[in-house]
Amino acid sequence: RLERLQRVVTKLQMESGICEEQLNQADTLLQADVRLLAAGKAPQKAAEVERDLDKADAMIRLLFNDVQSLKDGRHPQGEQMYRRVYRLHERLVSIRTEYNLRLKSGAPVTAVTTVSVASGQRRPEPDEAPLRYLQDLLAWVEENQRRVATAEWGADLPTVETHLGAHRGLHRAIEEFRTKVERARADEGGCDMGGGDGRGVLPGSPTVSPQNSSKSRLRHLESLHGFVSAATKELLWLSEREEEEVAFDWSHHNPAMAAKKESYS
């Protein structure tokens, strides 16, 4: 059993290293394309970035399953491996968020403004860059609201553990999203983008909705994880008792039969 678990540790160490390289490659390509956008050029590596992120996502899901087998087997490196995979997942969420906001949707506002000032060109009109940035933020909100609403729960401990770890990373990204919204509201304050009624295009409700949904899902996942963990322990206990009963010598010649009867009584 220990040899089997140690092979899982070795596998985790190797594959988490490969996953980290995959994320490094995706981040390098992403930053290169962000620089192209800042220079007013079209991105070149968007498809490769998305493909690398999808590969890393699939690999991390499998790594979480391996981590759960270590924790179930009470391996001393189980918690260490869990933290390692969890950090990989947090980085995946961070890179994917930046990809969605800065590359998939176009050039960031800050880059457009910096290039314009440096080259002596006019600054973007009030209804150009800030409005585009607000639209990007709203698209991000809608995408993550959909992800929270359609996410699965899991029917056993490994899958529940996987979904819980994945959602913790997503929830942190949603919480950190508030600073981007505040910056967008500051941009919005300098111009009328609300169709003339002064209300703006980014009210609080679109950002509150995914936050509340994410908090609710996180709370339910933690509750589900606690229940499934306890149920799994009970099932393991039952399985151990069953093995004892099946292996027991039930013949009358067994000297332990009297003790067995006493135990049953």
Side-chain angles (χ1 to χ4, degrees):
R1 172 179 162 277
L2 288 175
E3 288 178 0
R4 178 180 61 81
L5 291 176
Q6 192 57 45
R7 285 197 296 270
V8 174
V9 171
T10 303
K11 177 173 175 284
L12 272 165
Q13 290 171 335
M14 180 184 68
E15 292 185 353
S16 62
I18 295 173
C19 184
E20 187 171 13
E21 291 176 6
Q22 195 93 52
L23 291 171
N24 288 340
Q25 178 175 301
D27 194 31
T28 299
L29 295 174
L30 172 61
Q31 299 309 321
D33 268 0
V34 167
R35 288 192 293 272
L36 286 177
L37 283 172
K41 299 177 182 178
Q44 303 292 324
K45 304 293 185 180
E48 292 182 41
V49 172
E50 190 153 5
R51 185 166 59 248
D52 285 341
L53 292 177
D54 287 343
K55 287 180 180 177
D57 192 355
M59 189 175 293
I60 286 171
R61 291 176 185 276
L62 296 176
L63 291 175
F64 269 124
N65 289 336
D66 287 337
V67 165
Q68 189 58 48
S69 69
L70 290 182
K71 295 177 76 173
D72 289 342
R74 295 183 174 84
H75 192 279
Q77 289 181 269
E79 190 61 30
Q80 176 190 345
M81 290 294 103
Y82 172 78
R83 288 195 298 268
R84 184 170 182 173
V85 176
Y86 182 65
R87 283 194 297 269
L88 287 174
H89 185 267
E90 282 189 318
R91 189 162 182 229
L92 169 69
V93 171
S94 175
I95 295 173
R96 192 183 289 280
T97 300
E98 185 176 8
Y99 167 75
N100 287 334
L101 283 175
R102 304 186 67 184
L103 186 59
K104 195 172 183 179
S105 57
V109 177
T110 52
V112 173
T113 304
T114 303
V115 171
S116 299
V117 172
S119 60
Q121 299 172 358
R122 67 174 180 85
R123 293 174 64 88
E125 292 299 324
D127 61 346
E128 290 179 2
L131 178 58
R132 175 61 181 274
Y133 185 61
L134 292 173
Q135 291 170 339
D136 294 344
L137 296 184
L138 285 171
W140 189 93
V141 168
E142 291 172 0
E143 168 63 18
N144 284 281
Q145 178 71 7
R146 183 193 63 77
R147 289 178 64 188
V148 172
T150 60
E152 297 180 356
W153 296 94
D156 53 33
L157 190 57
T159 53
V160 172
E161 183 84 23
T162 297
H163 290 311
L164 178 58
H167 187 72
R168 280 174 175 159
L170 175 61
H171 184 69
R172 178 171 295 186
I174 290 174
E175 290 290 326
E176 292 173 350
F177 184 68
R178 184 178 304 165
T179 58
K180 297 182 176 67
V181 173
E182 289 173 353
R183 189 178 74 182
R185 286 206 179 103
D187 291 335
E188 184 183 8
C191 55
D192 179 13
M193 289 183 263
D197 59 7
R199 289 180 298 174
V201 298
L202 193 63
S205 56
T207 56
V208 171
S209 180
Q211 275 191 327
N212 288 344
S213 299
S214 179
K215 284 180 181 178
S216 176
R217 174 171 167 77
L218 182 59
R219 186 172 64 251
H220 290 315
L221 272 171
E222 288 173 342
S223 175
L224 177 63
H225 180 260
F227 170 77
V228 174
S229 295
T232 300
K233 289 179 181 178
E234 297 296 334
L235 290 170
L236 289 173
W237 184 88
L238 285 173
S239 178
E240 290 171 359
R241 300 291 81 74
E242 181 183 19
E243 289 176 3
E244 287 180 8
E245 301 305 296
V246 171
F248 188 75
D249 179 8
W250 290 94
S251 70
H252 291 290
H253 304 294
N254 186 355
M257 184 59 74
K260 191 71 169 178
K261 288 181 178 179
E262 180 65 23
S263 174
Y264 265 67
S265 68

